[in-house]
Amino acid sequence: MLNFQTIFEAIPGLYLVLTPDFVIVAASDAYLQATMRKREEILDRMIFDAYPDNPDDPDATGVQNLRASLESVLKDRKPHTMAVQKYDIRRLESEGGGFEERYWTAVNSPVFDANGEITQIIHRTEDVTEFVRVQQQKNELHLVGTELDQRLEPAMSEQTRQQFEYYYPAWNRWFENRVYLIPDAIAILCAEITERKQAEAALREREQQLRLALKTSKLGSWQLDLKTNILSTSDQCKMNFGLSIDADFSHQTLMERIHPEDQAWVQGAIQESIVNRTDYDVEYRNIWTDGSTHWVLIRGQVVYDSAGNPLRMMGMSMDITDRKQAEIALRESERRFRRLVESNLFGVVFGDCFGKLHYANDYFLNLVGYTPEEVYSGQVQSDKLTPPEFAALDAKAAEQLSTQGVCPPYEKVYLHKDGRRIPILIAAALVQEPFNINQEVMAFVLDLSKQKQLRQERDRLFNLSLDMLAIGNFNGYFTQVNPAWEKTLGFTQTELTTQPYLAFVHPDDRAATLTQGQKLARGRQTVGFENRFQTKDGSYKWISWNVVCVPEQNVLYAIARDITDRKQTEQEREQLFMSEQAARSEAERLNRIKDEFLAVLSHELRSPLNPILGWSKLLQNGKLSAAKTSEALATIERNAKLQVQLIDDLLDVSRILRGKLVLNAIPVELGSVISGAIETVRLAADAKSLQVKTQMTPGVSVIGDATRLQQIVWNLLSNAVKFTPRGGQIEVNLTPVGTNAQIQVTDTGKGIRAEFLPHVFDRFQQEDGSTTRKFGGLGLGLAIVRQIVEMHGGKAFVESLGEGQGATFTVEIPLAPKSVEMPQIKQLPQPACDLSGIQILVVDDDPDSRELIAFVLKQQNASVTAVSSGSDALEAFSQSIPNIVVSDIGMPEIDGYMLMREIRMLPPERGGRVPAIAITAYAGELDQQQAINAGFQRHIPKPISPNAVIESVVELVRSPE
């Protein structure tokens, strides 16, 4: 076992050695001494029995915490340090017994044998009772962490003597502290030095104030030797006379710098002070090198020797230029104010906030009718001069005076001594600070009687004026308007003055109005500015403005006049002029187009007539072979059909221009429409060896007129065939695109110049309208296409890369709703053409047409009676009632409409309901409707087709109604 006693002697300290059962097996002498125990009293005893807790301390935790630390060592097999622990020690009986309060820190460390087993625990401790008590005392005095605590720390730690002054905030006292070392402690001697510290602080403050006073007051010192006349000065004294600090300053220089008007009396004052032994105290002017005048204050005394002879003068100097200038300015201000008050341009009165008057000038006295004596004697009080209804205004003014020192001008009424009411404008200010109700008040009063009279006259004129007069401000509001505004616009004065006037301005005119407002704000007048102002009913009227402004008063004056009638006249005149110009331009354009169109029309109508007439002459000669006869007849038929197409195009354009083109809208499947159109142009395409390709999506349907839709496609295909050279290609595509059905016709033809693309769909427009043009036509087909497409709610457009690049025409028409059912097309049986037993009355004033119709009907075995006029028809009708009437419309004396009305007036048994067919060159839809209204059942336009006549007759024979 280790010899712990030897170790304790080598390492002094408080040690115990414990077994793992916490039994004491060794103790150092220092430990025994500190705990007031003998070795035999504690050895072989458990530490908790040898050193129990103080039984008188119910909060004692020494044994508990020590046990926990020792058990921690056994468990963790490493040292454990205990915090400061209160662990009282039993006092010796010779010292009174009981327990003594003690504080300790301890470290418990394990000791291991060769096998790593804990054999002992070394309990090393340190008594920190004194330290804890000092800390407690500091806490009681609130000194912990203070400057005193920091000053005492070196004395205790370094064992040195300290002396310092300390301010104890809790007592608001200063102390001088001297710290001395004594055995096992320190002694502190304290002496209160609060009064001394206060005196020192006051002295420092006075010195600082003196230095500041000397610096700010520009005080300089001087001394004059009266025997040698040598002048000695401080730097500031030189500066007070406008000299630099390194300049020479002699008595002669001093006298030369004194203002000439002051030199004599200054010299006399010096002599008077010497002779009379009085203080030298003067203020005079001196001239600086730059010629400026400055004031100085000189004060001094004469020093005499024992015999009473003057030795020297000494004193101070100060630059008082600022003060003198202020005094001069004050005197000048007082003079001006006195002149202003005595001028009696307005009333001036002095008094207090309680109504008493101290002074009043003549203006005020004359205004209220009182004498100076009545005012000064207190008989006149300001509150007695004011009617009760203005008490609130006066109270507000008194409040402003007491808080701000001034009250702005306001209007009120004074009562004259004779009882008259005098309108006045009054403003007031306190004569001096601080602002409160005890200070003297100075008030300025202006008689407004004349102004009130002028204002009343102005208001009378203002209200009677027929012009719209207004007063406004730069905040955007009218403050006053006359009745002419309500008469003109309908708004009341309240409505016009409670809303920004910009709110009444037409939105399109607000920017210009704001610009005028900005000009007014810069002081520029507005003359003749025009804008539109809203009226009560929501309409707008034109207003002309003349406005002058006073920006510094935030006021503007306006005269406004209603110029709506003039503007309307100007607008009508301008519109008339513009319309006349447009009409003239349009007339010139239309006249030019008309001339061009008539030339083209003449050419296009004459061209087919040439082969018709030519081959007709040859056929009449009877010298043509059978082949040539067949060729002649085909040529005549083809050119006749071309003329019919030209006429149909003209009629379609006429219907479109008059809005008479009517669509029979039904669900239409576009594939069949396109196929039908292709078949129509098939022969013409084959004649030029053109390849026509189609790519169509099945089931694409629209709501429209099947005939007109086929006309659209036929026109586009005819155009493509016309402009595509031999051997070219035409492609037709049908596909749905979004909500539209799209038809595209693309050709490899001559293309379109970019500048002509916008005019492709215009009426009577052709890219080449010259007499040398290669392609014929009236320029109507594409115009008809666009109009019919737009009537179907669609659009048409064209694309071309230029000449020789072909063109693509696109038509888009809204798709039909999916729920719409397509109509079933029923194949009607071909009508039988045998008209045997049918009596037909043919009426036409043109013999060729009459003979042609009669011949066609006789070919079908009908019995035909042909007459040349309406009267002949009525006579024939009375002799024999026909089965059907076929009549022309345009005839002399009795036209077809009149004839049919005569027949329809007959009773049924006399033929009043006989079926009738109108054959006429009037081919419009309106003409067709007029024929039906007149009593005809069918309408066939000229030139007639024999098959159409025969089919109509057969239909009426089968269904006469």
Side-chain angles (χ1 to χ4, degrees):
M1 180 176 177
L2 294 174
N3 188 349
F4 288 104
Q5 202 62 39
T6 304
I7 296 174
F8 294 158
E9 292 175 358
I11 305 175
L14 283 64
Y15 294 94
L16 284 180
V17 180
L18 309 176
T19 67
D21 297 330
F22 311 142
V23 176
I24 302 172
V25 295
S28 67
D29 294 340
Y31 194 93
L32 295 171
Q33 182 180 355
T35 59
M36 298 180 289
R37 288 291 179 270
K38 296 179 181 180
R39 188 171 277 108
E40 59 271 17
E41 292 178 347
I42 65 172
L43 290 181
D44 298 326
R45 296 180 66 187
M46 287 191 69
I47 188 172
F48 312 120
D49 295 334
Y51 297 102
D53 276 333
N54 184 356
D56 297 330
D57 184 0
D59 299 325
T61 58
V63 171
Q64 176 184 341
N65 293 338
L66 177 58
R67 184 186 296 276
S69 177
L70 294 173
E71 289 176 350
S72 174
V73 172
L74 293 176
K75 178 182 178 183
D76 299 333
R77 298 171 60 82
K78 62 181 181 181
H80 181 270
T81 301
M82 297 179 66
V84 175
Q85 175 65 50
K86 181 177 181 294
Y87 205 136
D88 297 345
I89 300 299
R90 191 188 302 276
R91 192 181 293 112
L92 297 175
E93 292 297 333
S94 59
E95 296 182 4
F99 282 78
E100 180 179 317
E101 183 180 345
R102 301 289 283 277
Y103 292 88
W104 312 82
T105 60
V107 178
N108 299 306
S109 305
V111 178
F112 301 94
D113 61 11
N115 297 323
E117 297 295 331
I118 297 177
T119 57
Q120 293 92 21
I121 298 175
I122 297 177
H123 174 67
R124 179 174 61 83
T125 187
E126 182 179 354
D127 186 354
V128 294
T129 303
E130 291 302 322
F131 175 79
V132 171
R133 289 175 178 170
V134 169
Q135 290 300 117
Q136 291 174 343
Q137 291 175 359
K138 289 181 179 179
N139 290 337
E140 292 174 358
L141 295 174
H142 306 288
L143 299 178
V144 175
T146 64
E147 181 183 357
L148 179 59
D149 184 27
Q150 297 171 2
R151 292 293 188 92
L152 292 176
E153 190 64 32
M156 293 186 292
S157 61
E158 300 174 7
Q159 298 294 298
T160 58
R161 177 181 175 182
Q162 300 286 332
Q163 179 175 348
F164 56 88
E165 295 176 354
Y166 173 71
Y167 175 72
Y168 187 48
W171 295 346
N172 192 24
R173 291 291 186 270
W174 278 92
F175 296 92
E176 182 179 57
N177 301 284
R178 296 184 182 183
V179 183
Y180 299 94
L181 301 176
I182 60 176
D184 298 326
I186 59 174
I188 304 175
L189 298 181
C190 296
E192 184 181 352
I193 58 171
T194 303
E195 293 183 0
R196 191 192 79 190
K197 295 296 285 186
Q198 291 175 344
E200 291 174 353
L203 179 60
R204 284 193 301 272
E205 183 178 358
R206 285 196 297 271
E207 290 176 348
Q208 183 179 3
Q209 292 174 348
L210 179 59
R211 285 193 297 271
L212 180 62
L214 290 174
K215 181 177 180 180
T216 57
S217 63
K218 302 178 182 180
L219 285 173
S221 60
W222 56 270
Q223 180 174 293
L224 176 63
D225 190 323
L226 296 176
K227 292 183 178 180
T228 63
N229 218 27
I230 295 176
L231 178 64
S232 301
T233 65
S234 66
D235 293 342
Q236 183 61 52
C237 186
K238 293 181 180 180
M239 294 171 63
N240 290 340
F241 283 87
L243 297 172
S244 62
I245 59 177
D246 56 353
D248 292 332
F249 192 21
S250 64
H251 184 259
Q252 181 179 356
T253 303
L254 169 66
M255 298 307 295
E256 290 174 352
R257 297 183 82 86
I258 297 176
H259 193 283
E261 296 178 1
D262 297 339
Q263 287 180 0
W265 72 262
V266 169
Q267 188 65 39
I270 295 174
Q271 294 301 321
E272 182 180 355
S273 178
I274 295 173
V275 172
N276 297 331
R277 296 176 176 264
T278 58
D279 290 341
Y280 176 57
D281 189 349
V282 293
E283 297 175 2
Y284 59 80
R285 295 166 288 176
N286 66 90
I287 309 299
W288 286 13
T289 305
D290 61 4
S292 59
T293 301
H294 296 259
W295 283 86
V296 290
L297 167 65
I298 307 296
R299 288 179 179 173
Q301 291 181 335
V302 181
V303 178
Y304 302 89
D305 61 13
S306 57
N309 299 315
L311 297 176
R312 58 185 178 276
M313 292 184 70
M314 57 188 303
M316 51 75 67
S317 69
M318 182 171 62
D319 186 348
I320 59 170
T321 303
D322 292 342
R323 192 196 78 190
K324 281 293 187 179
Q325 290 176 345
E327 291 175 354
I328 294 172
L330 178 60
R331 287 195 296 271
E332 179 63 18
S333 176
E334 291 175 349
R335 183 191 66 79
R336 292 176 178 174
F337 181 72
R338 186 179 300 107
R339 178 70 183 92
L340 187 63
V341 171
E342 294 175 352
S343 66
N344 291 308
L345 297 174
F346 50 85
V348 179
V349 59
F350 288 83
D352 56 34
C353 292
F354 304 103
K356 186 176 181 180
L357 304 182
H358 306 151
Y359 168 82
N361 67 350
D362 291 343
Y363 183 102
F364 182 86
L365 296 172
N366 294 331
L367 178 69
V368 296
Y370 290 95
T371 64
E373 292 75 15
E374 290 173 318
V375 171
Y376 302 149
S377 64
Q379 299 180 41
V380 183
Q381 298 280 331
S382 62
D383 54 343
K384 300 291 180 58
L385 293 172
T386 305
E389 62 265 28
F390 295 98
L393 280 177
D394 287 349
K396 180 180 178 182
E399 180 182 357
Q400 291 174 325
L401 284 171
S402 62
T403 56
Q404 305 172 23
V406 64
C407 75
Y410 64 98
E411 294 186 14
K412 57 180 283 189
V413 168
Y414 266 166
L415 295 175
H416 192 273
K417 187 176 181 179
D418 61 11
R420 287 184 291 114
R421 296 170 66 93
I422 311 296
I424 65 166
L425 178 70
I426 184 170
L430 295 182
V431 175
Q432 60 185 12
E433 297 181 358
F435 302 145
N436 56 58
I437 59 175
N438 297 317
Q439 297 290 355
E440 187 175 27
V441 178
M442 174 177 58
F444 300 91
V445 180
L446 187 65
D447 185 358
L448 297 181
S449 299
K450 292 183 178 180
Q451 287 83 348
K452 285 285 187 179
Q453 183 179 358
L454 291 174
R455 189 180 303 170
Q456 291 172 355
E457 294 175 356
R458 182 204 67 187
D459 290 345
R460 188 178 302 109
L461 178 62
F462 188 84
N463 293 328
L464 293 176
S465 174
L466 298 178
D467 289 328
M468 294 185 292
L469 306 181
I471 303 173
N473 56 41
F474 288 99
N475 299 326
Y477 288 83
F478 289 131
T479 56
Q480 187 178 356
V481 295
N482 70 340
W485 284 86
E486 183 172 359
K487 182 179 179 181
T488 303
L489 302 179
F491 291 109
T492 64
Q493 178 172 345
T494 301
E495 291 172 324
L496 289 168
T497 56
T498 54
Q499 297 185 64
Y501 43 72
L502 201 62
F504 298 95
V505 177
H506 192 284
D508 294 344
D509 299 340
R510 288 176 184 172
T513 304
L514 283 173
T515 301
Q516 288 297 319
Q518 293 168 355
K519 292 180 180 179
L520 286 167
R522 294 194 296 268
R524 297 177 58 183
Q525 297 183 5
T526 292
V527 178
F529 174 70
E530 298 175 356
N531 64 5
R532 284 164 289 182
F533 236 62
Q534 186 179 9
T535 65
K536 187 78 171 182
D537 62 8
S539 62
Y540 285 87
K541 288 193 174 184
W542 279 97
I543 305 297
S544 176
W545 298 84
N546 293 330
V547 186
V548 296
C549 61
V550 186
E552 59 272 14
Q553 297 181 11
N554 188 32
V555 66
L556 48 84
Y557 302 94
I559 300 177
R561 289 188 175 93
D562 180 5
I563 59 169
T564 304
D565 293 341
R566 191 195 80 191
K567 293 294 289 188
Q568 289 177 346
T569 301
E570 292 176 355
Q571 290 175 355
E572 291 172 358
R573 184 168 63 247
E574 181 67 18
Q575 291 174 356
L576 182 63
F577 176 75
M578 296 297 293
S579 299
E580 189 274 334
Q581 289 287 93
R584 181 180 303 164
S585 300
E586 182 66 12
E588 292 173 354
R589 187 183 71 85
L590 293 176
N591 192 51
R592 183 172 60 256
I593 292 175
K594 179 196 70 175
D595 292 342
E596 294 174 356
F597 171 70
L598 290 176
V600 172
L601 178 62
S602 174
H603 176 271
E604 294 299 320
L605 290 177
R606 286 175 179 274
S607 295
L609 289 175
N610 186 52
I612 291 174
L613 292 174
W615 283 110
S616 297
K617 289 289 186 182
L618 292 174
L619 288 171
Q620 290 176 359
N621 292 335
K623 298 179 180 181
L624 298 179
S625 64
K628 281 295 183 181
T629 299
S630 179
E631 179 184 352
L633 292 174
T635 301
I636 291 172
E637 181 182 12
R638 183 174 65 254
N639 283 277
K641 288 181 177 180
L642 178 60
Q643 278 197 324
V644 170
Q645 183 60 47
L646 292 173
I647 294 171
D648 285 344
D649 283 350
L650 288 171
L651 291 175
D652 283 343
V653 169
S654 175
R655 295 187 191 102
I656 292 170
L657 291 176
R658 292 182 292 113
K660 300 299 183 179
L661 186 64
V662 179
L663 299 180
N664 182 23
I666 61 172
V668 179
E669 201 279 316
L670 289 179
S672 60
V673 169
I674 294 173
S675 298
I678 291 175
E679 289 303 319
T680 305
V681 301
R682 177 71 68 184
L683 290 176
D686 292 343
K688 296 180 68 174
S689 300
L690 301 178
Q691 184 179 5
V692 180
K693 294 183 177 181
T694 60
Q695 185 174 353
M696 295 187 288
T697 301
V700 179
S701 303
V702 299
I703 302 297
D705 188 316
T707 301
R708 295 301 181 181
L709 290 172
Q710 187 165 350
Q711 182 180 3
I712 291 171
V713 181
W714 182 85
N715 277 0
L716 293 178
L717 287 171
S718 298
N719 194 71
V721 171
K722 179 179 179 180
F723 290 103
T724 302
R726 179 176 297 275
Q729 179 176 303
I730 299 172
E731 184 175 347
V732 182
N733 294 325
L734 170 63
T735 181
V737 177
T739 59
N740 293 327
Q742 185 184 82
I743 303 172
Q744 283 190 324
V745 177
T746 304
D747 63 59
T748 58
K750 67 181 290 293
I752 305 171
R753 297 196 313 271
E755 57 269 23
F756 188 71
L757 279 174
H759 307 289
V760 167
F761 294 100
D762 292 347
R763 292 187 299 273
F764 310 128
Q765 292 292 322
Q766 291 182 317
E767 190 173 10
D768 184 5
S770 65
T771 58
T772 59
R773 61 182 181 153
K774 183 178 179 181
F775 303 98
L778 298 177
L780 296 175
L782 294 179
I784 294 172
V785 166
R786 183 177 67 179
Q787 294 293 334
I788 296 177
V789 169
E790 290 178 352
M791 290 178 69
H792 281 81
K795 60 181 179 179
F797 53 92
V798 62
E799 298 172 286
S800 177
L801 297 178
E803 291 189 88
Q805 302 294 317
T808 298
F809 285 84
T810 302
V811 169
E812 291 184 354
I813 298 174
L815 289 166
K818 293 183 179 180
S819 60
V820 175
E821 295 184 2
M822 300 300 296
Q824 299 296 323
I825 301 176
K826 297 181 180 180
Q827 295 293 333
L828 297 175
Q830 292 294 326
C833 296
D834 188 6
L835 300 177
S836 299
I838 303 300
Q839 296 185 8
I840 301 175
L841 176 61
V842 176
V843 186
D844 197 327
D845 63 330
D846 181 63
D848 293 337
S849 295
R850 185 173 65 248
E851 291 300 325
L852 174 61
I853 296 171
F855 178 77
V856 168
L857 294 174
K858 289 177 180 180
Q859 287 289 99
Q860 306 302 321
N861 301 318
S863 176
V864 179
T865 302
V867 297
S868 60
S869 66
S871 57
D872 292 342
L874 291 173
E875 184 178 352
F877 198 90
S878 64
Q879 296 176 2
S880 176
I881 300 174
N883 298 108
I884 293 177
V885 176
V886 178
S887 175
D888 185 20
I889 296 297
M891 296 182 296
E893 297 182 1
I894 299 176
D895 61 16
Y897 299 138
M898 298 170 63
L899 171 63
M900 189 49 53
R901 291 190 188 100
E902 290 288 338
I903 293 174
R904 294 295 179 235
M905 292 174 64
L906 297 174
E909 63 274 11
R910 293 180 57 189
R913 293 185 178 179
V914 63
I917 298 173
I919 296 178
T920 176
Y922 300 107
E925 293 179 6
L926 182 61
D927 301 317
Q928 179 181 356
Q929 187 62 44
Q930 189 174 356
I932 300 300
N933 293 338
F936 289 98
Q937 279 73 37
R938 295 289 186 273
H939 176 275
I940 301 176
K942 294 180 180 180
I944 63 171
S945 168
N947 289 337
V949 174
I950 293 171
E951 290 175 0
S952 296
V953 170
V954 171
E955 288 177 4
L956 289 179
V957 168
R958 293 179 177 177
S959 303
E961 295 300 325

